[in-house]
Amino acid sequence: MTDPGATSPDPLSTVSRDIADVPSVEIISTAALHLMSAAAVNLGLAEDLPDHKDLDEARSLIDALAGLLDAASPSLGHHHAAPLRDGLRSLQLAFRESSEIPDAPGAGPGEKYTGQVHPTASHR
């Protein structure tokens, strides 16, 4: 008889090896894109769910995205961070437009990381 554990690879070690081969910039960018997509859906920006809005969920996702980008931007470099920051800013503006009760200046989602967001403000 053969030991079944000896013939099949450990799935966790295979996953770890796969992750080890992916550059950190790709993992961070992928996480940011997932946060952006989820925030957009909760802001009612998804084509297939235009009536869905959950601003509490959107706020949490935008805060998480802003914190991730704030922490990771030095590692990402301008080339990768700039489009993600642009996407974040667009979500922050969409949130502001969707809110019936506006947040105090600088208190919108992610603004503790990005500073106050205005429609005419220049990019950070």
Side-chain angles (χ1 to χ4, degrees):
M1 282 191 144
T2 326
D3 181 12
T7 59
S8 62
D10 177 16
L12 293 179
S13 70
T14 303
V15 170
S16 295
R17 265 186 259 126
D18 291 344
I19 289 173
D21 293 335
V22 180
S24 62
V25 68
E26 287 185 37
I27 293 173
I28 294 166
S29 296
T30 299
L33 290 174
H34 283 293
L35 290 167
M36 283 181 175
S37 297
V41 168
N42 283 295
L43 288 170
L45 301 175
E47 287 183 21
D48 56 337
L49 288 173
D51 296 328
H52 176 80
K53 276 196 184 181
D54 188 335
L55 295 182
D56 288 336
E57 287 293 309
R59 179 185 295 277
S60 295
L61 293 161
I62 294 168
D63 277 338
L65 174 62
L68 173 64
L69 293 181
D70 185 55
S73 286
S75 300
L76 293 175
H78 179 74
H79 178 73
H80 294 285
L84 295 172
R85 277 196 216 108
D86 289 344
L88 169 60
R89 184 174 181 279
S90 295
L91 290 169
Q92 289 172 306
L93 291 172
F95 184 94
R96 187 169 292 284
E97 291 174 12
S98 294
S99 296
E100 291 181 22
I101 302 170
D103 289 315
E111 289 183 351
K112 67 182 172 185
Y113 301 105
T114 64
Q116 190 173 350
V117 176
H118 295 288
T120 57
S122 63
H123 296 282
R124 185 178 161 188

